[in-house]
Amino acid sequence: MPDHGFEQSTGGVYLLFAHEAYYPAPGKEINTSLVAAGALLHPRVRKPDGTRIHERLTRGRRPGEIVPLATLTHELDGGTLWPQVGDWQGVTADLLQLIHGHGCDGLGLGLPPIARALMCTGPTSEVRAYDPKTEDCQIFGPADRIEVLVEIGRQLARAEAGRPLWPGGISRPGGDTEGEEIFYLPHPQ
């Protein structure tokens, strides 16, 4: 198995995953998190699952790319190949524990329902929103999903502000070993 030391660059690839909402402050919902791909290699993330997901996540990606877990599911034949790669539910639970325990940096996002639904569907899927008052149905598709990812990328750039998200497992420059949970709460749609 290749050495996946934490100093090894993953090309700035990020994993975005939805989870059960939590509330770090009254009225502030966090329902989606973003971590550096290297966090999948953290010693407290189950192995070999985290390593396999990391390999799948980073293969052929562009630097700075934000990859929703749903995109990996799409690439894994709609999820049928997940058992060959790893336990994504267990790994994302481990990542969330790492974030909460300050074992790595994580960008906590309070995505509005449509944006969150778009992140939980594949890159070619559509989300339909029905308004019972007007009986109108609005369709959100791949272009809307890209817009949400672009906005998340902007928030990530602001959050990183010259310091990339720390994947944990090693000391930061300067010796700090505690991660940060950074919150971004967009305006509701």
Side-chain angles (χ1 to χ4, degrees):
M1 183 182 296
D3 176 21
H4 290 289
F6 287 96
E7 290 89 355
Q8 179 178 341
S9 171
T10 58
V13 175
Y14 300 89
L15 175 65
L16 178 73
F17 60 98
H19 48 74
E20 186 173 329
Y22 64 93
Y23 300 84
K28 304 232 187 245
E29 177 182 314
I30 301 298
N31 56 28
T32 310
S33 292
L34 182 80
V35 295
L40 290 161
L41 304 174
H42 193 285
R44 293 194 332 236
V45 174
R46 66 193 70 216
K47 302 292 181 266
D49 307 61
T51 303
R52 288 183 187 147
I53 293 171
H54 175 270
E55 288 170 359
R56 184 70 190 192
L57 177 71
T58 58
R59 186 182 317 141
R61 307 288 181 193
R62 296 178 316 275
E65 188 168 350
I66 296 170
V67 183
L69 184 65
T71 298
L72 289 179
T73 299
H74 173 80
E75 293 170 355
L76 292 169
D77 198 23
T80 61
L81 299 177
W82 268 120
Q84 296 172 26
V85 175
D87 175 9
W88 66 267
Q89 291 172 312
V91 167
T92 55
D94 291 348
L95 289 171
L96 204 52
Q97 285 182 343
L98 269 180
I99 293 167
H100 291 313
H102 304 286
C104 73
D105 286 346
L107 179 60
L109 302 163
L111 296 181
I114 298 298
R116 187 170 189 266
L118 287 164
M119 294 303 99
C120 291
T121 60
T124 60
S125 298
E126 293 181 340
V127 172
R128 296 171 187 267
Y130 175 73
D131 183 344
K133 291 178 185 174
T134 64
E135 295 188 9
D136 287 335
C137 182
Q138 189 170 1
I139 300 171
F140 299 90
D144 300 296
R145 187 178 197 260
I146 290 168
E147 284 181 28
V148 172
L149 285 169
V150 167
E151 178 56 29
I152 291 170
R154 285 187 192 113
Q155 296 310 314
L156 174 63
R158 285 187 202 112
E160 288 187 320
R163 189 185 87 191
L165 289 183
W166 177 59
I170 59 166
S171 294
R172 294 181 194 267
D176 185 14
T177 59
E178 196 164 290
E180 278 187 89
E181 193 167 3
I182 306 159
F183 302 111
Y184 169 65
L185 302 162
H187 299 291
Q189 283 184 330

